[in-house]
Amino acid sequence: MGVLNEMKNNILLFDGGLGTMLQQRGLPTGELPERYNISHPDIVRSIHEDYVKAGADVITANTFQANPLKMEESEYLSAIEAGIRLVKESGARYTAMDIGPLGQMIEPLGTFSWQEAYDIFKAQAVQAEKSGADCVIIETISDLLEAKIAILAVKENTKLPVFCTLTFQEDGRTFMGTDPLTAVVALEDLGVDALGVNCSLGPKELMPIVEEMLTYCHVPVMVQGNAGLPEICCGETVYKITPEEFRDYSKEMLQKGVRIIGGCCGTTPEFIAQLDIMRKQIKTVAVTPKNITAITSSTKTVVLDKRVSVIGERINPTGKKKLKEALLNHNLEYIIGEAINQTDAGSDILDVNVGLPDIDEPAMQVEVIREIQSVTDLPLQIDSSDIAAIEAGVRIYNGKPLINSVNGKKENLKAVLPIVKKYGAAVIGLTLDESGIPDTAEGRFAIAEKILAEALKYGIRKENVLIDCLVLTASAQQEQVMETLNAIKLVKSRLGLKTVLGVSNISFGLPSRNIVNATFLAAAFGAGLDAPILNPLSEDYRRVVDSFRVLNNQDSGARFFIEQYHQTSAQPTAQNVDKTNVSLQELILQGRKEEAAAQVRNLLSSGATALSIIDNEFVPALNIVGERFETQKMFLPQLMQSAESVKAGFKVIKNHMEKAGEKPEYKAKILLATVEGDIHDIGKNIVAMILENYGYEIFDLGKDVPAETIVQMIQKHEIKLVGLSALMTTTVQNMKKTIEMIHEKKLDCKIMVGGAVLNEEYAEFVGADFYARNAMDSVEIANRLFG
Amino acid sequence: MEPLNLDHNEIMRYLSMPADSETKSIQELIEECKRELFNKLRPRFVYRVFDIEKNEHGIVLLGDGFILPGKDIVNHLDGAEKTIVLALTLGIEAELVIKRYARAQLTKTLVLEAVCTEIIEKYSDQVLQEIIKKEGLTQWIPNFGYGVGYGDLPLSLQPQILSLLDAQRKIGLTCNANHIMIPRKSITSIFGLFVEKREQADSCSICSLKENCQRRKDGFPCGRFKRDEK
């Protein structure tokens, strides 16, 4: 009988702590326990035997850190092989391959790549299956993304059942900030066979976390707690609860619906023996998890059943010239700005669409999602008509995404639904098919019904299907507006699905679009709309959403509404900011950026040209700033405030020129990057801003940038000056490597370097043309080169 | 986290500004950053206390056999009764707060970095006192926290120090292939515990950045050393 079958009707008992047992039998601290599989097999086997005798069904192999980051390449696979063999020799009924965290932070917060992590987990799992493991347990995970990668690697490369447990701290979150609900929603539909918690805390402290998981989790819940809260004594960790106490807490958990139990740090065969006696006396308890429609980031879950949710639409290049340009130039700053603005404006979910004819959409989708996920905690809606781009995005996404979209066409259902299923995502179904968009509400409902039926066939849970009944413009198809609203009512009442709607199209071709949009949004809410896709920066929309949340009892006590609106009229308006008497130059020198931007607007509207503002205001002000900085009358933060003011002014000028159909002119192109392996980028960002102030077009590739990418971008954009940054002595080597590659390719471009550890000698050592002590130096270098 | 009493002059130093500068906007920004950071950070630490022994390679951490190599660490711990090895992190939240502003509000980012550095310093002081009390080590006096990468103690030791403390599992602190700790706002330090207060060596003399260091040229070297001397 397989372990999964056994689980169906029985409580499954895992073993307890291994590390402490090994130490008791002589493993020196500092020695990697997995080496004992080869050097001291008898000790490892005998510990397993003790757990078998204690009554454990599943014995975990001594392979937690058997990976190529902790051991030699040649050594770790043998350690896995031996580890699994030793369990089998111990007489265990089931053998679990143990996979622990890699100890590396995955990008974008760390520098370890998604693919590197995947490859390691894959190699571990494949070896485990080859060696005869019955299942894999992925445990002590803090990083939701790492759990997802490991689960995918095991599922895609082996047939082994997968158990996965995360480790939570006393504040109820993992080190990376994931809460239990988010963990469940993000991982349960990924194909795991059990989900739960282990380590960090004792069973008492784990209880609320376990209860939260049981409330929502559709797969069996597993718990392997420590023998109490770890206490530090003489700098060593000790655990203080008794096997009997551990048993009693565990019993409570089983009675609440936990199905798999065992122990972690500090638990011994005695603990497991107690659990075995106890579990034989109680029956399994069936749980009825709540069915909710929810999507997550790594730290936040948006539950659509709770209240109407706003999906921000601004990261979509359709009709947005600036975003198009930003995508083509890898200008992530603009895109990130849109993400932050929409987050601040109160969005619940952000739509991300990067589809353009001339770009590699899957690669761009990956890049943009990663960057956005590192600046906002909102869940994302991955939006594309390119199936490969959808899958690429969903695959690397940290959390459970919403896919936008699938439609009623047979081919499309066949292409998109397997991705939804495999990655445990939610999906928006558009009510159109081979014959187009039906004219009637009933027609659209029929497609929604078909989409749901197909999704269910793939094993997608009903709650993960949302429907978009599609908006047609009121100016062209006026009679269709009510059909959309009626379709929403049908989908809600007959199918019980959540609905999504892109509302802004309704007013296309009409004057005062905002009035039409707001009225339509209110009507759609009335029809039962759950999640409008709209521009969250629009005040009209915000008012409708905020007031509707009061009316439908979602903003309890109208608390949020009152806080936001009780003194709207007293807030300063843009106009009185504009009426400043201080000169633009002075505003720049004082670093008052909002006012500087307003002053630029004033000058432009009173007829000043862009060029005259740059030449007569920006440049002289910047020169004064530069001089004061050199003579230490002004310091870096003040220099930066001035630079930020000029930047704000430039933004106004650029917008103004675009409206007039003019293109901004740049002195030259400069590429900037922090080299591979290094994640410090503030210095480089300062240099970028100041060079931009001086009229250079900046291609900022960000941090941790491989040499190959830098070379490609130099070639693509015909760059003549590159600025490279490194903060650490260890990454100066990568700077050298990058410059060597630029030289090998015989690219006609100069290289300047900077960063905390750099100096003249280092600059020479790495082969740079110039050394820039600070941002002002880089301006001087650029001016000399291009002046 | 509980707000700490931060030293304003130190923050100004990290910003390379004279302590008496009265730029209002910067002062306001510092206060704003403090509030935001105290509100969001979840700092954590892990430590071990060792008896030590000197040998020809460096300092041996007894009970573990781990060797801290080099002359400078020997000088740092020479005559110490015990040593505390400490790792501390402001957590992923510090990373996220800074990243949130890194592109759009650079001055604020710079100030956040400076305030984080001072929080680490003060948190480290607080934690050290806690440890000394908890472990019953109050009869001794600690010297300053010696960082991995100072002097001839190689930065490449960082991963081993982290595994010595099981820092990844216990506080979520990792180290990449280039020995950069992630979350970035983290430190590892080695303290000696002495019977009497020690004369502090000139910390700059062992620093590999001394030739470059603007702070040293300006006459106020690293905050940590400076404060110890006071």
Side-chain angles (χ1 to χ4, degrees), chain A residues 136-183:
Chain A
V136 172
I137 169 141
I138 299 160
E139 52 128 335
T140 324
I141 303 284
S142 302
D143 183 350
L144 187 71
L145 184 60
E146 189 169 11
K148 175 172 172 175
I149 298 171
I151 292 166
L152 285 173
V154 180
K155 299 292 296 181
E156 289 177 351
N157 299 287
T158 74
K159 294 195 166 57
L160 297 176
V162 187
F163 301 72
C164 179
T165 55
L166 273 69
T167 188
F168 294 86
Q169 305 305 309
E170 272 176 284
D171 58 6
R173 289 182 178 265
T174 69
F175 289 132
M176 298 296 281
T178 301
D179 58 278
L181 172 62
T182 299

Side-chain angles (χ1 to χ4, degrees), chain A residues 688-720:
Chain A
M689 178 168 69
I690 293 184
L691 284 171
E692 218 163 20
N693 279 347
Y694 275 88
Y696 293 98
E697 185 177 16
I698 302 302
F699 292 78
D700 185 348
L701 303 189
K703 57 191 165 44
D704 190 22
V705 186
E708 295 77 13
T709 311
I710 293 171
V711 166
Q712 278 166 16
M713 290 299 280
I714 294 173
Q715 288 169 323
K716 187 173 167 194
H717 295 286
E718 296 175 353
I719 304 285
K720 300 291 174 214

